[in-house]
Amino acid sequence: AQSVTQPDIHITVSEGASLELRCNYSYGATPYLFWYVQSPGQGLQLLLKYFSGDTLVQGIKGFEAEFKRSQSSFNLRKPSVHWSDAAEYFCAVGPYSGNTPLVFGKGTRLSVIA
Amino acid sequence: EAGVTQFPSHSVIEKGQTVTLRCDPISGHDNLYWYRRVMGKEIKFLLHFVKESKQDESGMPNNRFLAERTGGTYSTLKVQPAELEDSGVYFCASTPLDGTGELFFGEGSRLTVL
C-alpha cells in the first residue's frame, strides 16, 4: 500500500539554524514526490517536487530536498531558518499524473524561536 | 489567474445539522479532488472528479457525505447530518487533465461540529 511517514510531529529550531524534515515513503511504482507547506490561515502551497533527474531539487523560499531511492526518503532541508518558516509541512507521494490522488503524511509542525 | 477558492472558510454547526462546502477550481482544470484533515492526522483523500464524473470516491467516509460537480465546474460537498467526528479542514484541489500530479489547493474550509 502507498504510504508516507513523517516521523517528527513537531520540531523547534532557532532562527538561523539549519533544518531537516524527514519523509519516508512506500510506493509501488516510480514515485512523484512533493513537499507542501501550510502557513497559519493559509492553504497548502507547493514547496518543491521531484519526479526524475537530479536527486537534489530546489524549491521556493530557499528549501531543497534530496531523493534517496535506496532509503525511500525525500527529506526537506533549509540551511538557515527564518521566523516566517514556522508552519506545517507535508510530504506527499503519487504517480506522474493528475488522475490518481496523492497520499500525504501526517505533517510536521515547525516552530521557530529567536 | 484565480486560484482554487473554497467557501466558507469556517463553519460552526451543531451535531445533526447540514453543511455544504463549495469549491471553485482553477478555470480549465478538469480534475477536482476533495481531501480532509482531522486534527493531528494526515490529509486524507475523499474523492476525485474528472469533469462532472466521479472518478474515485473510495475515501468518502459514509453516506452522510454527498459530493457533486454539476456541469464540471464548481463542486459542493454536503454533510448531512453532521457528526462530531466530521470536524476538520476540508481541502479542495484541482489539476489539469493532461498535467502532472501537482495539485493546486484552496485554503480549505474548517468545519467544527459541536
Side-chain angles (χ1 to χ4, degrees), chain B residues 4-30:
Chain B
V4 176
T5 57
Q6 293 187 244
F7 181 84
S9 57
H10 191 189
S11 181
V12 181
I13 61 173
E14 293 191 350
K15 176 182 172 182
Q17 291 186 319
T18 298
V19 63
T20 299
L21 310 177
R22 172 169 168 148
C23 168
D24 287 76
I26 293 173
S27 178
H29 283 193
D30 289 327

Side-chain angles (χ1 to χ4, degrees), chain B residues 13-86:
Chain B
I13 61 173
E14 293 191 350
K15 176 182 172 182
Q17 291 186 319
T18 298
V19 63
T20 299
L21 310 177
R22 172 169 168 148
C23 168
D24 287 76
I26 293 173
S27 178
H29 283 193
D30 289 327
N31 284 305
L32 187 150
Y33 295 86
W34 284 98
Y35 284 82
R36 176 174 74 172
R37 186 177 190 221
V38 173
M39 186 176 293
K41 301 290 184 69
E42 67 270 27
I43 300 170
K44 292 197 76 172
F45 165 76
L46 296 179
L47 87 158
H48 170 209
F49 283 100
V50 177
K51 298 184 180 180
E52 67 276 6
S53 299
K54 291 177 185 175
Q55 181 81 4
D56 181 354
E57 51 184 332
S58 61
M60 295 286 263
N62 50 62
N63 59 10
R64 295 185 293 102
F65 288 76
L66 174 64
E68 295 180 322
R69 194 184 182 193
T70 307
T73 54
Y74 71 91
S75 174
T76 58
L77 179 64
K78 182 194 292 189
V79 185
Q80 178 184 30
E83 298 289 343
L84 299 179
E85 64 264 25
D86 300 332

